[in-house]
Amino acid sequence: MAKKQISDVRRFNRTFSQRIGALQESYQKLGLPLGEARLVYEVGTTGIDVRDLRNRLGLDSGYMSRLLRKLEERKLLATHASAADARVRRIELTAKGKRLFADIDRAGDTVAAGLLAPLRPADRQRLIEAMADVERLTRAAAVRIGPEKASSPAALWCLNEYFAEIAARFDAGFNPAKGLPAPIAEMTPPRGVFLVARLDGRPVGCGALIVETGFIGHIRRMWIASEVRGLGLGRRMLDALEEQAAELQLRTLRLETNRNLAEARALYQDAGYREVPRFSDEPYAHHWFEKALRRRPAP
Amino acid sequence: MAKKQISDVRRFNRTFSQRIGALQESYQKLGLPLGEARLVYEVGTTGIDVRDLRNRLGLDSGYMSRLLRKLEERKLLATHASAADARVRRIELTAKGKRLFADIDRAGDTVAAGLLAPLRPADRQRLIEAMADVERLTRAAAVRIGPEKASSPAALWCLNEYFAEIAARFDAGFNPAKGLPAPIAEMTPPRGVFLVARLDGRPVGCGALIVETGFIGHIRRMWIASEVRGLGLGRRMLDALEEQAAELQLRTLRLETNRNLAEARALYQDAGYREVPRFSDEPYAHHWFEKALRRRPAP
DNA sequence: GCCATTCTCTGACTTTAGTCAGATAATATT
DNA sequence: AATATTATCTGACTAAAGTCAGAGAATGGC
């Protein structure tokens, strides 16, 4: 990577850190500390479960609890047990809290308008487009891939999206009952792994590795959400699956794909998979691939 | 301003706040709090005067002093009186401090490289260009214009740049001794004002208003640094000068300009100045302008 | 039905990041 | 030479933003 590129990116990060610092100061005039304002803003007009809020803001549960008590005392929000699960508490803003939310929201608008105000209309449009580009292109770096339970809500959501997509793209649609099955148990250690790609916590892709007899692994259910496609995530998912395979001491990886998924085929070929004769009964597949893994160096 | 534009900008600010939050966490692994790391980083390998550091970081002098003592105890930096002015203390990093600086620097590189790493070369280039666009276009919003002493270093620096530029652009060069003078005393209240435009503290433009006999003001020394040109700052400087004129109860503003400064002429015309017959002996001028100010509404 | 896990809460602390009011010494201004 | 200003430091506070251990209730998985 060119040094010039790195320093360009660093300059951007630096100036934006400053700008965002200035932005945050603008929230301070609302009469409560940043952390509390952020919390009120995240609760929003619709309310939220404490658990979700804690995950989103990444706060310690004790700290969170105390913040909530403080805001409750100020009559900005109210908590009550969730209907679905009596352990989790649901937060809703009071009328006063909603007014504060509106103030915070307005302050955000003002900051944004302040960036646009000095510009001519054409430059405003350019700024917005450039921001969209930066956002899209930096998304890839914010994606984290890791193993999760194949039965987790995120995993099931990904699989659902995956099925919906291939149903739309395969010539004859897709019926999970007819395709080669991939039971959750087989995508669970030690018989396999299920990887989920997340962007800011939200699932945006998945891939499964199923250990077959001997030293052979089977890659299944690889999917990347369209919002993050074209950023090299397919390759990263494949690399992550190979990493898992290496840890499981596998020697060969196999996978199959449908003729309509041209970008997937290109990815597999580019990643060193070579086409082999049919090895599975997957009725929706037209191409079968295989790759010999390099033996792991002893640790 | 379109609502859609504002919400687009807000989304960008939001995602980048998150990214930058993550970035800052990466510095935390260096074993000292963010504020102290930032300080060490700003001191840099060349050293800095405490005064400048305080301005740059915007810290209270007491707090700053305590931070320095803490870092001195840890043998990360050393202070000594400045040679030029025994009141100011100069900070230099010790060998240990320089090692820490290198670590911080490397962490910054790692973050930047992490943004670039997942991208293909063409996308890397696009990201960098988009970042440069965003930076350039948001610069205007970060510029602050305010009155400063015409004898201040920033003012003198601006005037120097201004002279250098017109010397290069006027047909016959520019000799300050031959031009209409603008003594510092006349650009100082109550006889006049000197405005400086600053971007993140750095001067990037200036403009002077000199009160002539009666209710007439004379605009002189208007200059905008090339790095921020094309962002509407000339107009803002002119507006700010008119604001000052209104506060001084002036009724008419005058100015003159050289034929080679086409963009300046366009600005004046656009701002409502109309060309009038020569009213001054400025030998470098070819055009004279005037504008009647609207009377200020009573406060 | 039992046991592990999840979710929230409380108590007891800590660190970070300041603010504010002087005191002191050096320099600038008049 | 007298006075004002500037730069730094010290003492005495404060608010914000956590951390960590453990308790208690509810739920999920077997």
Side-chain angles (χ1 to χ4, degrees), chain B residues 50 54 60-70 72:
Chain B
V50 169
R54 224 180 41 229
D60 171 87
S61 60
Y63 181 38
M64 168 108 264
S65 178
R66 239 175 297 271
L67 278 179
L68 290 177
R69 291 301 85 67
K70 203 184 291 180
E72 259 179 341

Side-chain angles (χ1 to χ4, degrees), chain A residues 130 134, chain B residues 122-135:
Chain A
V134 171
Chain B
D123 282 339
R124 283 182 195 167
Q125 208 44 50
R126 289 190 57 193
L127 174 59
I128 291 187
E129 280 159 22
M131 282 181 161
D133 272 0
V134 170
E135 241 186 298

Side-chain angles (χ1 to χ4, degrees), chain B residues 128-282:
Chain B
I128 291 187
E129 280 159 22
M131 282 181 161
D133 272 0
V134 170
E135 241 186 298
R136 199 180 65 83
L137 292 165
T138 54
R139 257 207 285 271
V143 171
R144 301 275 168 268
I145 296 178
E148 301 196 16
K149 278 191 193 167
S151 57
S152 69
L156 296 174
W157 182 86
C158 286
L159 288 171
N160 213 43
E161 291 289 306
Y162 168 71
F163 291 145
E165 177 167 353
I166 60 179
R169 293 183 66 184
F170 288 2
D171 289 327
F174 175 75
N175 176 355
K178 282 171 71 184
L180 194 66
I184 284 178
E186 294 188 10
M187 301 188 290
T188 300
R191 296 176 61 191
V193 227
F194 194 88
L195 297 184
V196 174
R198 285 177 180 268
L199 171 61
D200 299 330
R202 202 166 73 254
V204 291
C206 66
L209 172 68
I210 297 177
V211 179
E212 310 222 315
T213 51
F215 295 101
I216 298 173
H218 195 168
I219 291 180
R220 309 284 312 276
R221 308 302 193 219
M222 238 185 86
W223 171 77
I224 302 294
S226 61
E227 67 167 314
V228 289
R229 235 167 262 180
L231 296 169
L233 278 178
R235 182 58 182 266
R236 276 175 62 195
M237 179 59 78
L238 200 53
D239 289 350
L241 287 166
E242 291 184 8
E243 180 109 354
Q244 295 288 333
E247 267 172 36
L248 292 166
Q249 314 293 336
L250 303 185
R251 305 233 178 106
T252 307
L253 280 181
R254 285 170 164 183
L255 53 87
E256 62 261 293
T257 189
N258 184 280
R259 66 178 158 222
N260 287 4
L261 307 180
E263 77 284 13
R265 210 148 18 111
L267 165 64
Y268 300 139
Q269 264 151 0
D270 187 60
Y273 288 74
R274 63 184 172 71
E275 193 150 3
V276 293
R278 159 193 286 263
F279 61 75
S280 74
D281 295 335
E282 172 63 62

Side-chain angles (χ1 to χ4, degrees), chain A residues 1 5-6 8 10-12 15 18 41 105 109 114 116 120 125 127-128 131 135 137 141 200 230, chain B residues 1 5-6 8 10-12 15 18 41 105 109 114 116 120 125 127-128 131 135 137 141 200 230:
Chain A
M1 210 164 315
Q5 292 186 320
I6 291 187
D8 284 350
R10 288 192 66 176
R11 187 158 39 81
F12 180 84
T15 53
Q18 283 178 14
Y41 190 76
D105 199 44
D109 271 1
L116 291 169
R120 276 157 301 211
Q125 208 43 50
L127 173 59
I128 290 186
M131 281 181 162
E135 240 185 299
L137 292 165
D200 298 331
Chain B
M1 212 165 307
Q5 291 187 320
I6 291 189
D8 283 350
R10 287 193 66 176
R11 188 160 37 81
F12 180 83
T15 51
Q18 282 178 16
Y41 189 75
D105 199 44
D109 272 0
L116 291 168
R120 276 158 300 212
Q125 208 44 50
L127 174 59
I128 291 187
M131 282 181 161
E135 241 186 298
L137 292 165
D200 299 330

Side-chain angles (χ1 to χ4, degrees), chain B residues 98-118:
Chain B
K98 281 179 185 159
R99 279 197 299 277
L100 177 61
F101 174 86
D103 287 345
I104 297 172
D105 199 44
R106 214 170 302 120
D109 272 0
T110 306
V111 168
L115 283 179
L116 291 168

